[in-house]
Amino acid sequence: MNLRPYRRFFTVARQFLPLLLAYARDRRRFLLFGGRRTVTPEIRRQRAQALLDAMLTLGPTFIKLGQLLSTRPDILPPEYIHEFTKLQDSVPPAPWPEAKQVIETELGPIDAEFDTFETDAISGASLGQVYYAELNGQAVAVKVRRPNIEDLVEADLRVIRWSLPVLMRFTGTARAFSLENLADEFARTIREEMDYRREGQMLTEIRANFADEDRIVIPRVIESHSDSRVLTMEYVSGTKINDIEDIDAMNVDRSVLAETLQRIYLQMIIDDGVFHADPHPGNLAVRPDGKIVFYDFGMSGRVDEFVQQKIIEFYIAVANQDIEGILDALIEMGTLSPDADRRVMGDVMELAIADARGENIEQYRVQQIVSQVEDTIYEFPLRLPSNLALVLRVATVVEGVCVTLDPDFDFISVATQYLTEQGYREAGVKQFLEDRSDEVKQAAWSGLRTPPKLERALDRVNRDDFYVRADIEDSDGHLTRLAKRLIYGMLLSVGLIATAVLYAFATPESSAVAGVFSLAIAGLLYLSFRKRRGIRATPQFTRQNLRQRQGK
């Protein structure tokens, strides 16, 4: 019997229990009863930092979980998202003798398989580490899965699955759904990332998509020296993309770099449907000739054609400042609930776009727009598709890298130009005209069919054979609350009468019981008239609030 998951469960519980108790007290001040506590953004930031420290303490699996949570604004508030984006997939490498055993188990003796092999890792991550070697006179990078990581990950995944029922008791229905999906997604993602054969296949596919692109470099996989736990690739050196001074020293145009990077990711997501999903500066480098180098394809994703089309529609709507088009695209992608208040959401989007423009009306950035959408996603609990969560993360991280390279970088301008060059905007206009033409035709046919139907309805009225059937939709629960109040009122009346009668004709104890019952019903009736203090109908978004959020 494997006791590791059980021991691990108590270790994890010890780290997270204080935070869970604090969160429980936010809902009920005294755990079992009491009103809600007010939680300020500062308190949320402090808790996010504590949770971040706990994840770093718990090791590789929870570091990866934190990175995934940083892409899920439907589950966590913005303060947590901001803190979790600080998680860097960089930890000390495992001892060389353990890594050597993994390599030789997968490939054979190192001396026989490689010309030279440096035993000091050039980089370390939570799931693996990278070594420099030479093979047939060529420099290669050898990525090795961290020794014995499989058992730890499987134990942690079991602990996470055991913890779900507890976590769901602290969340609403929509967020509980997202949590369950997140657990499934995380288990799949981390197992995929530990499978270096899959990473090699994704790297090879993306490299083939850019075979004719001379502005980027994607390392080639050495198939003969790669397996599920070892991935050998062509070694390509470069300067980290956020080392601005070194890039300037190479006389590389940073504005061109930023535009190239943005266009590459637009092609991956919109055209190819397969993309590198971890574009932080540690995985991007620049060569002296201005080419961008991509590293680490362990985190990569796919986008289906439907989502690709909706992303195109979203970008076009943002470029055109078409608020209704933005909302329609978000709803169809599943990012925004169809039941959300469009007027409120429209106000949020208008404020986000207006505040992001700055002094020049044409200057606005998609990161600021997406940031406000993320805030709204948390205020209105939604179900964010997992593939879209990765796209959302890529969009924000890429734009952050581009702005670091060029502070005046205009994401929307580049995206609009790309969509125009590829014919997407023209196709969108053509599709719009076709849709309107179809609507006109349908309206004409409806006009021809209406008079006969109206005549038949009038005939039924004359024969007293006309009935109207209506269903009452109570999505806001008004009728339910009214029914509860009526029931509470009747029970309270009965309780008061019973208390009076028992007090007059029976023992004090029995009247006291009836009195307590009446007080409980009176309390429930009072609570039914109080305004709900959970999700508010109108989130507090103002221009001043937006600037405060962006300044933090």
Side-chain angles (χ1 to χ4, degrees):
M1 181 179 180
N2 186 6
L3 297 178
R4 185 171 189 174
Y6 299 94
R7 293 196 301 269
R8 188 67 172 168
F9 179 82
F10 287 108
T11 302
V12 173
R14 188 172 64 252
Q15 292 288 334
F16 290 155
L17 189 58
L19 289 170
L20 284 176
L21 288 175
Y23 189 68
R25 290 193 62 209
D26 293 342
R27 296 167 63 87
R28 298 184 187 276
R29 187 178 297 272
F30 304 104
L31 294 181
L32 298 179
F33 59 92
R36 288 178 177 269
R37 294 195 302 179
T38 300
V39 182
T40 64
E42 181 60 32
I43 292 176
R44 282 203 290 261
R45 274 194 295 274
Q46 292 174 359
R47 291 180 183 174
Q49 291 169 358
L51 185 57
L52 181 66
D53 292 339
M55 288 183 166
L56 290 171
T57 300
L58 290 171
T61 309
F62 287 88
I63 291 175
K64 284 293 178 184
L65 179 60
Q67 290 175 341
L68 183 59
L69 283 169
S70 71
T71 72
R72 299 304 299 264
D74 56 327
I75 294 175
L76 293 177
E79 292 82 6
Y80 287 76
I81 298 293
H82 176 73
E83 287 298 323
F84 285 3
T85 55
K86 299 176 183 178
L87 275 172
Q88 295 294 321
D89 193 7
S90 179
V91 296
W96 164 244
E98 297 178 10
K100 178 181 179 182
Q101 184 178 1
V102 173
I103 298 172
E104 294 191 336
T105 300
E106 295 294 321
L107 304 180
I110 290 178
D111 293 340
E113 297 295 333
F114 295 93
D115 300 341
T116 61
F117 199 106
E118 295 188 3
T119 58
D120 292 330
I122 57 178
S123 68
S126 56
L127 300 180
Q129 51 209 53
V130 181
Y131 295 89
Y132 175 87
E134 291 185 2
L135 175 64
N136 298 327
Q138 177 187 4
V140 295
V142 183
K143 186 175 181 180
V144 184
R145 189 194 299 173
R146 187 171 285 271
N148 304 316
I149 191 66
E150 301 90 342
D151 293 340
L152 176 61
V153 168
E154 290 301 327
D156 284 341
L157 290 178
R158 189 174 297 182
V159 169
I160 291 170
R161 178 58 63 182
W162 289 345
S163 305
L164 270 183
V166 178
L167 294 174
M168 288 179 181
R169 296 185 65 86
F170 295 92
T171 62
T173 304
R175 199 160 289 123
F177 177 89
S178 293
L179 276 174
E180 193 168 11
N181 277 356
L182 176 73
D184 295 336
E185 175 195 350
F186 177 63
R188 175 184 55 79
T189 300
I190 197 168
R191 287 188 179 113
E192 286 180 348
E193 196 164 346
M194 286 195 301
D195 183 1
Y196 288 172
R197 279 177 298 202
R198 177 189 177 275
E199 180 178 346
Q201 291 167 359
M202 298 293 281
L203 190 158
T204 301
E205 183 176 350
I206 295 174
R207 187 173 188 271
N209 291 336
F210 290 93
D212 299 327
E213 178 59 70
D214 59 0
R215 294 175 297 176
I216 69 170
V217 178
I218 298 177
R220 178 174 58 88
V221 175
I222 311 298
E223 298 285 352
S224 60
H225 288 66
S226 300
D227 211 318
S228 61
R229 295 196 295 169
V230 178
L231 178 63
T232 304
M233 302 163 286
E234 175 186 9
Y235 178 81
V236 182
S237 62
T239 301
K240 284 182 65 173
I241 201 165
N242 62 344
D243 289 344
I244 303 302
E245 293 182 1
D246 292 341
I247 293 175
D248 288 340
M250 294 188 295
N251 293 321
V252 175
D253 190 327
R254 289 189 277 115
S255 298
V256 173
L257 277 181
E259 182 174 345
T260 299
L261 182 64
Q262 176 57 36
R263 285 175 169 269
I264 293 303
Y265 272 96
L266 285 171
Q267 178 181 329
M268 286 183 188
I269 294 171
I270 294 175
D271 293 333
D272 302 333
V274 55
F275 59 97
H276 176 260
D278 198 14
H280 67 76
N283 288 336
L284 299 170
V286 180
R287 293 177 62 83
D289 56 5
K291 294 181 179 180
I292 300 176
V293 185
F294 288 76
Y295 303 120
D296 193 355
F297 287 75
M299 188 180 293
S300 51
R302 296 185 182 275
V303 187
D304 60 49
E305 292 183 5
F306 174 80
V307 174
Q308 285 178 308
Q309 182 59 40
K310 296 309 165 187
I311 292 173
I312 293 170
E313 293 176 7
F314 172 78
Y315 281 143
I316 293 174
V318 172
N320 296 336
Q321 300 177 35
D322 177 7
I323 302 300
E324 290 300 315
I326 293 173
L327 297 181
D328 288 341
L330 292 174
I331 288 172
E332 291 178 20
M333 283 190 288
T335 303
L336 183 63
S337 170
D339 297 328
D341 188 327
R342 291 182 70 95
R343 181 184 62 79
V344 173
M345 294 303 303
D347 291 343
V348 171
M349 296 308 300
E350 285 180 357
L351 284 176
I353 293 176
D355 201 67
R357 288 176 189 161
E359 295 297 327
N360 186 343
I361 196 171
E362 297 299 329
Q363 293 294 321
Y364 54 96
R365 297 193 178 103
V366 78
Q367 185 179 16
Q368 293 170 298
I369 296 170
V370 171
S371 175
Q372 301 309 323
V373 172
E374 288 179 350
D375 291 352
T376 308
I377 286 173
Y378 184 74
E379 296 294 336
F380 295 85
L382 304 176
R383 302 175 179 182
L384 187 62
S386 58
N387 56 350
L388 196 60
L390 271 181
V391 172
L392 188 68
R393 178 180 189 272
V394 166
T396 54
V397 175
V398 167
E399 204 244 346
V401 173
C402 290
V403 171
T404 300
L405 291 169
D406 178 11
D408 297 324
F409 180 73
D410 188 346
F411 184 100
I412 299 301
S413 176
V414 175
T416 302
Q417 185 178 1
Y418 180 86
L419 294 174
T420 302
E421 291 173 357
Q422 300 299 318
Y424 289 116
R425 296 191 76 186
E426 181 181 350
V429 172
K430 183 178 179 181
Q431 184 63 45
F432 176 82
L433 294 176
E434 290 178 355
D435 291 343
R436 300 296 81 76
S437 176
D438 291 339
E439 290 175 2
V440 170
K441 291 178 182 178
Q442 292 174 4
W445 279 110
S446 296
L448 293 175
R449 291 195 296 265
T450 298
K453 292 181 178 179
L454 180 60
E455 184 175 1
R456 289 195 296 270
L458 292 175
D459 288 342
R460 293 187 63 181
V461 171
N462 288 333
R463 297 195 304 268
D464 293 330
D465 188 31
F466 188 79
Y467 300 96
V468 176
R469 184 176 61 190
D471 294 327
I472 299 176
E473 183 177 346
D474 185 31
S475 59
D476 294 327
H478 295 305
L479 292 179
T480 302
R481 285 196 294 274
L482 179 59
K484 284 183 178 180
R485 290 168 185 171
L486 289 173
I487 294 172
Y488 291 153
M490 290 187 290
L491 289 175
L492 180 60
S493 300
V494 171
L496 291 174
I497 294 172
T499 303
V501 171
L502 291 172
Y503 182 76
F505 300 104
T507 61
E509 290 81 3
S510 59
S511 62
V513 172
V516 171
F517 172 79
S518 300
L519 284 175
I521 296 299
L524 291 173
L525 182 61
Y526 169 73
L527 291 176
S528 71
F529 281 95
R530 292 190 65 185
K531 291 184 179 180
R532 297 176 66 185
R533 301 180 67 184
I535 302 166
R536 293 170 172 80
T538 306
Q540 301 300 309
F541 282 103
T542 63
R543 292 176 186 273
Q544 182 179 2
N545 197 340
L546 289 178
R547 293 191 180 96
Q548 288 174 350
R549 285 171 179 256
Q550 292 162 359
K552 290 176 181 178

